[in-house]
Amino acid sequence: MVISSLADSLVRGFETVGDSVSEALFEPVIRLGVTGLARSGKTVFITSLVANLLDRGRMPGLVAQQEGRINAAYLQPQPDDTVPRFDYENHLAALTGPKPHWPDSTRAVSELRLSFKARPAGLLSGLQGPRKVHLDIVDYPGEWLLDLALLDKSYGSWSSETLDRITNRAEAAGYLAQAKAADPEAEHDEPQAQALAKAFSDYLNTARDAGYYDCTPGRFLLPGDLAGSPVLTFAPLPVEGSGARRSLHREMARRFEAYKSQVVKPFFRDHFSRIDRQVVLVDALGAIHKGPQAVEDMRRAMGDILSAFRPGRNAWLSRLLLGKRVERILFAATKADHLHHHQHARLTHIMEALTRDARDRASFAGAETAALSLAALRATTEEIRTHDGVDLPCVRGTLLDGKQAAFYPGELPDDPAHLLGPARNGAESWLGEDYGFMAFAPAQLTLRPGDGPPHIRLDRAAQFLIGDRL
Ligand SMILES: Nc1nc2c(ncn2[C@@H]2O[C@H](COP(=O)(O)OP(=O)(O)OP(=O)(O)O)[C@@H](O)[C@H]2O)c(=O)[nH]1
Ligand SMILES: [Mg+2]
């Protein structure tokens, strides 16, 4: 324990030295983390952000662009040789090709470096020539942040909390029956351990699809290279004490500890601890469509995700960060092109309310935070349709089957409490209003030279996240 935390501190120490050396050479590096739960819009966000930073015709909200200070922006090989590169070209081809479609789901961390040549702002602008600023964008699943809470738990306490939480969920019935039939104190038997782990990860996947967001351990959903390895072959069992030697209980507990030290900690050490700016993407409209329980669950998951940005609560993480902090955090509701712009402010208020608890409990150790609603890739146009004598603000787009449709999603409340209140009080469905959700395909585009793909407020997001450093 002592040795590993010492080693962690050393690694951070060296990185800090490395960062300040490149700062000293006037090539500052901004490390931007992009996260969110599954399907929240991370891949589309990064792809469109990069395309719009390369071709900045639609980025008037980025002050350096507005002031004509960005001379060039270009992609470069990223500095981390062992992290997969974010597959920008293929994702962009999917979104903007002749048959536009959404990119495939991504399951692991990836990274991309974009470099700018920009003249500094203000007085220095005339005196200094352009300097280089590097932007390293890191895409990682929000579920991995939820795992931070596991570090404080023993196998026994994690098991009992998890079993308590899922006991009434229909999706968990199959796993719970298997867990009940197992004898944790019997001798460890690998096929049985694998069957339990498989049933538990099947449960996690079904639960996530059903709208639950508390689906940890995160790597069970996104195993990548670790699929089938012992660190992912454990599951919660009703256990007491520390378990007999060679028992199923003892082996599961050992693997739980291995998951913490060999999966969770390296992620925080190698990726999370180096982030300067962070955007947390949230598919709030998707959750509202699924119903009150999904909204409540998402609110809780957001609270847990955000606790990673208040490291005071976790001694290990505080030691690892050595006082370094994320300087800015943006909470963005994605896919705002599903709403007519007259509802965008309401979506932003809901976003603010969803994260308020987490923000109130402690400020993010001095980080500046903001909330907004955006569409990384605008797939719709707006129109007013009259229905039963009432004007409905609609959006129109192409459905996944190629048909055109106009769509009215329902009226979000002025006061977010009208959604979050019932959600918190366990309502089964929304009273009165039904919130629709329609899956639009990306629109066919003909881009003018110098323009990136169409978006909503991506320039404002970029200004908040990196504008002050350009
Ligand atoms: N209309 C619209 N839909 C969007 C937008 N961004 C994302 N989507 C939808 O949301 C889905 C998920 O987007 P991704 O960017 O793949 O989300 P992700 O967070 O990378 O998902 P995983 O990699 O599976 O975790 C897409 O397939 C689209 O259907 C947007 O700006 N507008
Ligand atoms: Mg993705």
Side-chain angles (χ1 to χ4, degrees):
M1 180 65 200
V2 172
I3 291 177
S4 78
S5 62
L6 196 67
D8 290 335
S9 310
L10 283 178
V11 172
R12 261 242 51 88
F14 283 128
E15 277 167 7
T16 315
V17 172
D19 288 350
S20 51
V21 169
S22 59
E23 292 264 10
L25 295 173
F26 299 107
E27 290 196 9
V29 178
I30 315 167
R31 222 172 150 79
L32 169 65
V34 178
T35 198
L37 295 167
R39 313 309 288 151
S40 55
K42 303 178 286 293
T43 304
V44 176
F45 177 87
I46 297 177
T47 309
S48 183
L49 178 67
V50 170
N52 277 292
L53 288 173
L54 291 171
D55 287 305
R56 296 173 298 282
R58 294 188 207 259
M59 298 294 269
L62 186 62
V63 173
Q65 169 64 17
Q66 187 67 272
E67 296 177 350
R69 290 191 285 105
I70 304 180
N71 293 15
Y74 49 97
L75 290 172
Q76 288 222 76
Q78 76 205 37
D80 296 281
D81 292 332
T82 55
V83 181
R85 180 176 180 276
F86 181 84
D87 196 2
Y88 169 70
E89 291 77 8
N90 274 323
H91 295 319
L92 186 70
L95 293 172
T96 60
K99 283 207 182 110
H101 57 272
W102 299 109
D104 292 337
S105 217
T106 41
R107 302 278 110 171
V109 63
S110 67
E111 182 177 333
L112 187 75
R113 169 167 281 194
L114 181 73
S115 300
F116 297 93
K117 268 198 194 130
R119 275 183 294 115
L123 282 178
L124 288 179
S125 182
L127 301 174
Q128 278 185 354
R131 54 190 183 123
K132 272 193 206 156
V133 179
H134 304 291
L135 175 64
D136 290 343
I137 304 179
V138 186
D139 171 6
Y140 67 92
E143 285 80 358
W144 294 8
L145 292 181
L146 294 175
D147 279 349
L148 182 64
L150 300 184
L151 294 183
D152 298 331
K153 291 177 186 153
S154 66
Y155 174 67
S157 61
W158 172 73
S159 283
S160 72
E161 282 172 28
T162 307
L163 293 172
D164 274 357
R165 200 170 55 232
I166 69 178
T167 188
N168 292 321
R169 295 186 185 173
E171 293 81 1
Y175 173 71
L176 289 170
Q178 277 200 41
K180 211 166 161 199
D183 173 5
E185 301 309 327
E187 190 161 337
H188 164 75
D189 167 56
E190 188 56 26
Q192 186 192 20
Q194 286 180 12
L196 283 164
K198 172 156 189 329
F200 185 60
S201 85
D202 287 349
Y203 152 71
L204 288 175
N205 278 291
T206 339
R208 185 189 52 188
D209 294 343
Y212 289 103
Y213 294 97
D214 55 356
C215 301
T216 55
R219 219 56 71 92
F220 278 55
L221 297 165
L222 313 162
D225 311 346
L226 295 175
S229 65
V231 278
L232 296 193
T233 312
F234 66 90
L237 291 174
V239 293
E240 266 166 37
S242 57
R245 276 186 62 213
R246 311 241 296 257
S247 64
L248 181 63
H249 173 176
R250 186 72 79 89
E251 183 58 16
M252 291 266 173
R254 192 190 67 75
R255 292 177 184 188
F256 178 77
E257 293 305 322
Y259 181 83
K260 289 179 358 187
S261 64
Q262 292 173 45
V263 178
V264 182
K265 287 187 173 182
F267 162 70
F268 279 92
R269 190 183 58 220
D270 301 339
H271 300 289
F272 184 78
S273 69
R274 299 164 58 206
I275 286 170
D276 309 306
R277 308 285 165 102
Q278 176 69 50
V279 53
V280 181
L281 302 176
V282 182
D283 181 9
L285 287 172
I288 293 169
H289 166 63
K290 283 181 187 151
Q293 182 257 305
V295 168
E296 174 58 7
D297 221 56
M298 168 179 271
R299 188 186 64 79
R300 281 208 217 135
M302 289 305 297
D304 289 347
I305 283 187
L306 298 185
S307 64
F309 297 99
R310 293 182 281 115
R313 281 183 33 181
N314 186 295
W316 176 79
L317 188 58
S318 304
R319 264 201 313 277
L320 177 68
L321 295 176
L322 287 176
K324 179 186 187 307
R325 61 187 53 147
V326 176
E327 301 154 334
R328 292 186 171 198
I329 310 173
L330 176 68
F331 304 103
T334 50
K335 314 181 195 179
D337 57 332
H338 284 93
L339 291 180
H340 191 279
H341 74 269
H342 109 133
Q343 295 216 55
H344 287 176
R346 294 180 180 189
L347 181 59
T348 304
H349 290 153
I350 291 170
M351 190 64 225
E352 277 164 351
L354 268 174
T355 51
R356 180 163 312 138
D357 262 15
R359 286 197 276 168
D360 281 355
R361 257 180 281 151
S363 71
F364 289 104
E368 220 180 298
T369 63
L372 59 75
S373 43
L374 59 79
L377 189 82
R378 181 174 198 160
T380 63
T381 53
E382 299 187 338
E383 69 183 42
I384 302 286
R385 303 207 119 204
T386 312
H387 182 74
D388 290 342
V390 183
D391 282 350
L392 294 181
C394 296
V395 292
R396 166 179 288 279
T398 311
L399 301 182
L400 298 178
D401 62 8
K403 295 201 185 97
Q404 283 274 316
F407 168 64
Y408 175 69
E411 183 87 358
L412 294 175
D414 241 346
D415 179 356
H418 293 173
L419 282 182
L420 302 190
R424 203 180 289 221
N425 296 331
E428 297 274 328
S429 61
W430 302 119
L431 272 182
E433 193 76 62
D434 253 339
Y435 299 101
F437 192 82
M438 198 163 248
F440 291 108
Q444 286 261 351
L445 297 175
T446 332
L447 298 180
R448 283 178 311 181
D451 273 2
H455 62 80
I456 300 171
R457 279 188 284 278
L458 197 59
D459 51 344
R460 295 255 304 274
Q463 174 59 30
F464 176 78
L465 290 167
I466 59 167
D468 62 313
R469 301 282 295 271
L470 289 179

